[in-house]
Amino acid sequence: MGDFNLALVIVAVVVCIIVFIFNVYLLVNYQHPDDANQAYFPKFVVVLGLSVAAISILMLPADVANRQACQHAIYNGACNLTLPMKDLWLAIYILDAVLVFFIIPFAMFYYEGDQDKTVGKRITSALLWVGTTAIVCGLVLGILYGLIGKVDFTVMHLSSSTTSFPNTWDFSSAQPCIGSGTRQCSAYSASASSEKTWTMRTTFPEYVVALATIVGSVLFAIFGGVGIACLPLGLIFSFIRRPKAVITRSQYIKEATELGKKAKELKKAADSLHQEERSGSKGRKWRKNVKAVEKEVLQLEEDVKLLEEMYPQGEKAETSWAMTVLGYLAKLVLGILGLIVSVAWVAHIVIYLLISPPLSPFLNEVFIKLDSVWGLLGTVAFAFFCFYLLLAVIAGAMMLGLRLVFVTIHPMKWGATLMNSFLFNVGLILLCSISVIQFCSTAFAYYAQATAAQEIFGHTLESLRGIRYLYKYNVFQIAFVALAGLTFVYYAAFGWRRKKPSGRFEVQRIRHISSEFYWINAVRVGWF
């Protein structure tokens, strides 16, 4: 094995270890106190899912670096030093699909099962749900693969006759072929009638990856398009709406007293909902009230946090206020840097993907020039842009999740995240990570050419029967840019408005009772 490839393997192993340790750190610090020292299986699934998502994003830069190890080979097949990237891609994405559609649902059903049931009954109930899902998914995939599991490559049929090797060649633009002039051997001058469709059956693993990518692409176009704008603008407008000064004690007591009164009212409503659940009267109105209560949770937490920022308490109140000011300044700096990256992403999509032929390679050329400065500098920048896109998807999901009625809210809170919320968000990240890789391999096709990822996502996926037209006409890219533009307009119109405590009350979900309802305790607002 060559030195470069050995270094690549060492870097890959070290990065995987770092990713695993970082994900364990996130789990420990984000988990709810009620889940401490229990729910070990859901925690293992969370760490595994986050690690797979991060590694899948890093595999594309690794694929590019792996290709560079064979840059002196005459053709790719002549290089025996490359890692089996195509097999690794298929393995990681089959694992991704299994986690999203089977293991994570099982962990959620098990975790949300009735706590009064035995472990065996909870496992049985979760297996029944997941088994039903597996049968349905297996039948759908099998039928689809049997009927339309083929790829249709558009090729141009060119031919020419043979002749003895002459002393001189007599070719011209009017006669590019040997022999009869009726043949078509020039791709530039061939007529449209020379186009043919070459059909072949794809492998089942590639087909599963392709369908999972389609599902993820729908979410990616929505969440990514919104997130690419709201991620930096949210940070910038958070700085604009920041508290400018500390409020007086009397103002603080007045606001906190109002929140305390509202919390007591909600405590009564929560008791009533809990009583209705025990009596078995869980109709549509009850479910609607539960969702309304869950929606109120996030709003009060924001009100309480804002109130605490405007009136820091304790012996280190001045230090706390100074850290608050520095935090908002950091948001401004990160927001400006993020805005530059977001604008570069949108400009690259328009210049390189939506305009045909592309006006410029743009970021592709930037990465290539960075590689010429230092071997892996372009690869690092490439990895950063891919990771930023995944962060944008997460930001968009959080923003829309707070505003769409049909989206279940699973907030991620430092030190207060239940495992079912962890699992839901990990599933969302895994599902979108496939589309992020596909999108990056397409957007940076010039830089990532001849890689295993481009072979899977650039050729097979975009030629798959039944769905290739979504990629042929850039449906997802157009939706992405359109939603990004609408989000920019939204923030320009409403993002500058100062956010004040709403006077609305919220509660904190502290322990689940069944798969449909979480017992709720009122938030205690203490100001003494």
Side-chain angles (χ1 to χ4, degrees):
M1 178 176 289
D3 292 337
F4 182 85
N5 230 0
L6 179 60
L8 180 62
V9 173
I10 294 174
V11 169
V13 172
V14 171
V15 168
C16 289
I17 294 174
I18 294 175
V19 166
F20 176 79
I21 294 175
F22 180 74
N23 289 330
V24 172
Y25 171 80
L26 287 180
L27 175 68
V28 171
N29 286 277
Y30 268 91
Q31 69 175 346
H32 197 282
D34 289 348
D35 290 324
N37 301 319
Q38 60 178 336
Y40 291 109
F41 176 69
K43 291 177 181 178
F44 169 76
V45 174
V46 166
V47 173
L48 177 62
L50 289 175
S51 300
V52 169
I55 291 171
S56 65
I57 299 295
L58 291 173
M59 278 182 64
L60 187 52
D63 199 354
V64 173
N66 191 55
R67 177 207 64 192
Q68 292 176 351
C70 287
Q71 60 183 343
H72 299 299
I74 298 176
Y75 62 97
N76 289 338
C79 180
N80 296 320
L81 298 180
T82 55
L83 298 173
M85 290 305 301
K86 185 174 182 179
D87 293 335
L88 291 176
W89 275 117
L90 293 178
I92 201 73
Y93 280 117
I94 290 297
L95 178 59
D96 191 307
V98 171
L99 282 170
V100 170
F101 297 107
F102 300 106
I103 296 180
I104 289 179
F106 172 81
M108 290 188 68
F109 284 126
Y110 174 78
Y111 177 80
E112 295 180 351
D114 193 341
Q115 299 295 307
D116 295 332
K117 293 182 179 180
T118 63
V119 174
K121 290 184 178 180
R122 291 168 63 189
I123 293 176
T124 302
S125 176
L127 286 174
L128 287 175
W129 281 104
V130 175
T132 303
T133 304
I135 293 173
V136 172
C137 290
L139 290 174
V140 172
L141 287 174
I143 293 173
L144 289 176
Y145 181 71
L147 294 177
I148 56 175
K150 299 178 180 179
V151 288
D152 297 322
F153 296 106
T154 300
V155 297
M156 188 168 289
H157 180 74
L158 304 175
S159 64
S160 182
S161 61
T162 59
T163 186
S164 301
F165 198 85
N167 294 326
T168 59
W169 297 96
D170 186 18
F171 291 114
S172 65
S173 58
Q175 180 58 37
C177 304
I178 297 174
S180 174
T182 59
R183 295 179 179 272
Q184 298 184 93
C185 60
S186 173
Y188 294 100
S189 60
S191 63
S193 61
S194 64
E195 288 190 357
K196 306 292 181 183
T197 300
W198 179 31
T199 300
M200 61 179 296
R201 182 170 292 277
T202 184
T203 62
F204 186 73
E206 289 182 339
Y207 191 73
V208 173
V209 171
L211 290 186
T213 304
I214 292 298
V215 177
S217 294
V218 176
L219 298 175
F220 168 77
I222 298 173
F223 296 144
V226 172
I228 201 73
C230 77
L231 178 59
L233 293 180
L235 294 173
I236 293 174
F237 283 107
S238 177
F239 172 80
I240 295 174
R241 299 191 303 260
R242 73 192 186 282
K244 301 296 192 302
V246 177
I247 62 175
T248 63
R249 179 178 175 81
S250 60
Q251 289 176 315
Y252 174 78
I253 292 177
K254 179 181 178 182
E255 293 288 347
T257 302
E258 183 65 24
L259 290 175
K261 291 179 180 179
K262 295 294 185 180
K264 289 180 180 179
E265 295 176 6
L266 187 57
K267 177 65 166 60
K268 295 179 182 179
D271 288 336
S272 177
L273 288 172
H274 190 206
Q275 192 66 31
E276 289 181 19
E277 186 201 23
R278 287 184 172 181
S279 63
S281 56
K282 299 190 297 184
R284 179 178 298 179
K285 184 178 180 181
W286 181 88
R287 296 176 187 274
K288 182 179 179 180
N289 291 335
V290 170
K291 287 187 177 294
V293 168
E294 289 181 340
K295 186 178 180 181
E296 291 288 326
V297 173
L298 299 177
Q299 185 61 47
L300 179 65
E301 290 179 350
E302 292 181 3
D303 290 344
V304 172
K305 181 180 178 181
L306 182 59
L307 191 60
E308 291 176 348
E309 286 181 349
M310 291 189 294
Y311 188 77
Q313 303 179 69
E315 297 179 356
K316 300 181 179 179
E318 294 182 0
T319 303
S320 177
W321 174 251
M323 294 302 296
T324 298
V325 173
L326 291 176
Y328 280 107
L329 288 175
K331 287 184 178 181
L332 176 62
V333 174
L334 293 175
I336 293 174
L337 294 176
L339 183 61
I340 295 173
V341 177
S342 293
V343 171
W345 252 118
V346 175
H348 179 77
I349 293 171
V350 174
I351 293 173
Y352 187 72
L353 294 180
L354 298 185
I355 298 177
S356 183
L359 295 179
S360 168
F362 196 35
L363 291 178
N364 291 282
E365 191 171 356
V366 172
F367 298 150
I368 293 173
K369 289 183 178 179
L370 289 176
D371 276 335
S372 64
V373 175
W374 178 60
L376 292 177
L377 187 58
T379 304
V380 171
F382 177 46
F384 170 76
F385 270 82
C386 292
F387 258 118
Y388 184 84
L389 199 58
L390 183 62
L391 292 176
V393 171
I394 298 173
M398 295 302 295
M399 178 182 177
L400 292 180
L402 300 177
R403 289 164 171 78
L404 298 181
V405 178
F406 59 87
V407 175
T408 302
I409 300 176
H410 286 278
M412 296 285 291
K413 295 292 182 181
W414 187 269
T417 304
L418 293 170
M419 279 302 109
N420 66 328
S421 295
F422 243 129
L423 291 166
F424 176 85
N425 286 283
V426 169
L428 180 64
I429 292 171
L430 282 169
L431 193 58
C432 291
S433 66
I434 303 177
S435 300
V436 170
I437 294 299
Q438 187 275 331
F439 193 85
C440 288
S441 65
T442 302
F444 303 126
Y446 183 64
Y447 179 70
Q449 58 184 328
T451 58
Q454 192 179 51
E455 180 181 349
I456 296 174
F457 297 110
H459 303 307
T460 303
L461 179 62
E462 296 179 8
S463 300
L464 200 63
R465 182 174 295 181
I467 63 175
R468 61 174 181 165
Y469 295 104
L470 295 174
Y471 296 97
K472 181 179 179 180
Y473 296 108
N474 298 321
V475 173
F476 297 121
Q477 290 91 332
I478 293 174
F480 183 96
V481 173
L483 288 172
L486 291 175
T487 307
F488 272 110
V489 173
Y490 169 81
Y491 268 94
F494 305 106
W496 56 270
R497 296 182 179 179
R498 180 180 296 276
K499 201 169 186 178
K500 298 180 180 180
S502 65
R504 296 164 66 89
F505 52 90
E506 295 290 348
V507 293
Q508 183 179 13
R509 298 174 292 182
I510 67 169
R511 191 171 184 85
H512 55 79
I513 297 298
S514 70
S515 61
E516 298 173 309
F517 182 72
Y518 299 92
W519 179 228
I520 300 170
N521 271 356
V523 169
R524 294 177 298 173
V525 183
W527 54 85
F528 296 103

